[in-house]
Amino acid sequence: MSTKDDYIAKMKSQLDSWSAEIDALEAKANDVREDAKVKYAEQLAALRVKREEGEQKLVEMREAGESAWEQVKAESEKAWAAFKDSVQAFQSHYKA
C-alpha cells in the first residue's frame, strides 16, 4: 500500500470516527435545555457541513494524481484540522 493509500485510509477512519461523534451529539439533542436547542441544532448543522467537506476532500485525495497529491494533501489537512477543532469546541461547549 502506498503512502497515499495509507494516508487516505487514516483520514477515512478519522472521518468515520467523527461521524459517529456527531451522531452521538445528535442523539443527545433532547437533553439540551429548551433555550439552547436552536443553537445546538445550528451548530450540529455546521458540523454536518464540515463533515461533508471532509468527505469531499477524501474524494479529491483519492482522485488526485501524483503531481497534485501534495497540494491536495495540504488542503485536506487544513480541512481536517478545522473539522476537528469544530467538533472539540462543540463538545466542550455542551459538556454536561
Side-chain angles (χ1 to χ4, degrees), residues 49-96:
V49 168
K50 288 195 179 289
R51 179 179 57 195
E52 291 294 321
E53 289 171 1
E55 290 173 358
Q56 181 58 39
K57 287 295 179 189
L58 197 60
V59 168
E60 290 174 21
M61 285 191 303
R62 286 185 180 127
E63 295 174 352
E66 289 303 314
S67 62
W69 163 241
E70 288 300 323
Q71 181 178 351
V72 171
K73 180 181 173 188
E75 292 170 2
S76 296
E77 287 176 353
K78 289 178 186 176
W80 297 120
F83 182 74
K84 179 181 175 185
D85 291 345
S86 295
V87 169
Q88 289 174 340
F90 184 90
Q91 288 174 325
S92 66
H93 182 75
Y94 289 101
K95 200 172 229 178

Side-chain angles (χ1 to χ4, degrees), residues 11 18 21 23 38-39 41 47 55 63 68 78 87:
M11 291 299 105
W18 289 333
E21 288 179 46
D23 291 344
V38 171
K39 186 69 174 169
L47 287 178
E55 290 173 358
E63 295 174 352
K78 289 178 186 176
V87 169

